[in-house]
Amino acid sequence: MIGTIFNTCTILIGSVIGSLFRRSISEKHQKVLFDAMGLAAAGLGINAIVNHMPDSKYPVLFIVSLALGSLLGSILDLDKRFQSLTARSGSSTLGQGLSTAILLFCIGTLSILGPIQASLYGDHTYLFTNGTLDLVTSMVLASTYGIGIAAAAPVLFLWQGSIYLFAGSLESFISPEFMTELSIVGGFLIAASGISILKIKEFKTMNLLPSLLIPIAFFLIKSFIF
């Protein structure tokens, strides 16, 4: 799990560097960083949607995923629980930044396929690349939201670690079709985070998170039926 450990460490290091940089930034310039992060997240989300939508073989799946996932998240009130947890840090915006960070770090081709490549073939290229990208991203996020962004590191470790441990059984399951559908739904969630940061429309991103479970459930059922 060298690649996953490297990826986790880059987020921790980036968060520390970014939080130190944040102390010298005025409130006016922090607002500029908020807007920049909102634009970046919205752009990344839209890019994921546009790039993968043409390859989708199940064009209705993302609609069902968002509808059922947001309904489930709302019933469980995940956003309220998450905000209560992050409020203990004393920052009213950390929850928003941390949910965005978790999505950016965990939902992507490199973060999902990387542990599989490392486990089955000993190839850590994807994870080293992902770690380098996450180093920069965590620095920018922490310079905006503070050291609390480092909390995304253990989430990533558990996420990639689980994929690494079960790579043998997941290899056939994580097909290009699956990655396409998951990337589309993930793109919508990342875009929603960006729109919320920009205060265009307030989305409770954590309540949308169960939407990612719907494509997983769909392909699991599909694999058993066919």
Side-chain angles (χ1 to χ4, degrees):
M1 292 181 63
I2 296 173
T4 293
I5 293 172
F6 171 80
N7 201 162
T8 303
C9 289
T10 57
I11 294 174
L12 292 172
I13 294 169
S15 298
V16 171
I17 295 173
S19 64
L20 291 174
F21 179 68
R22 183 173 188 255
R23 296 176 184 176
S24 61
I25 301 177
S26 66
E27 186 175 338
K28 175 184 176 181
H29 292 146
Q30 283 185 21
K31 175 63 169 61
V32 173
L33 282 175
F34 274 116
D35 290 342
M37 285 310 307
L39 282 172
L44 288 169
I46 292 170
N47 181 64
I49 297 167
V50 171
N51 281 343
H52 292 93
M53 191 76 78
D55 298 324
S56 175
K57 295 184 178 179
Y58 310 96
V60 181
L61 183 57
F62 80 91
I63 301 175
V64 175
S65 298
L66 291 171
L68 293 181
S70 59
L71 182 61
L72 177 59
S74 180
I75 292 172
L76 296 174
D77 207 357
L78 296 178
D79 189 78
K80 183 179 180 181
R81 297 171 190 270
F82 186 72
Q83 296 299 337
S84 298
L85 186 65
T86 55
R88 298 174 187 174
S89 68
S91 172
S92 59
T93 60
L94 178 58
Q96 185 181 61
L98 191 53
S99 61
T100 302
I102 291 171
L103 285 169
L104 289 173
F105 294 150
C106 296
I107 307 303
T109 302
L110 295 175
S111 191
I112 295 174
L113 295 183
I116 293 178
Q117 289 288 105
S119 177
L120 298 179
Y121 310 111
D123 183 357
H124 302 284
T125 305
Y126 280 2
L127 290 175
F128 287 152
T129 302
N130 198 57
T132 304
L133 294 172
D134 288 350
L135 173 66
V136 177
T137 305
S138 59
M139 286 173 60
V140 177
L141 284 167
S143 67
T144 308
Y145 295 100
I147 190 63
I149 293 299
V155 175
L156 175 104
F157 181 81
L158 292 173
W159 168 253
Q160 291 188 357
S162 299
I163 296 175
Y164 182 91
L165 291 174
F166 297 101
S169 55
L170 290 174
E171 183 184 19
S172 58
F173 174 74
I174 301 181
S175 62
E177 289 181 358
F178 170 78
M179 289 302 301
T180 294
E181 303 304 329
L182 190 68
S183 296
I184 292 172
V185 176
F188 274 103
L189 267 59
I190 294 171
S193 291
I195 292 170
S196 295
I197 294 171
L198 291 170
K199 300 188 183 303
I200 297 173
K201 163 71 178 175
E202 187 67 32
F203 287 102
K204 295 183 177 181
T205 311
M206 294 307 295
N207 282 354
L208 294 172
L209 206 56
S211 300
L212 294 168
L213 298 175
I214 308 304
I216 296 174
F218 173 79
F219 279 91
L220 275 174
I221 295 170
K222 181 174 175 287
S223 65
F224 282 118
I225 294 177
F226 301 101

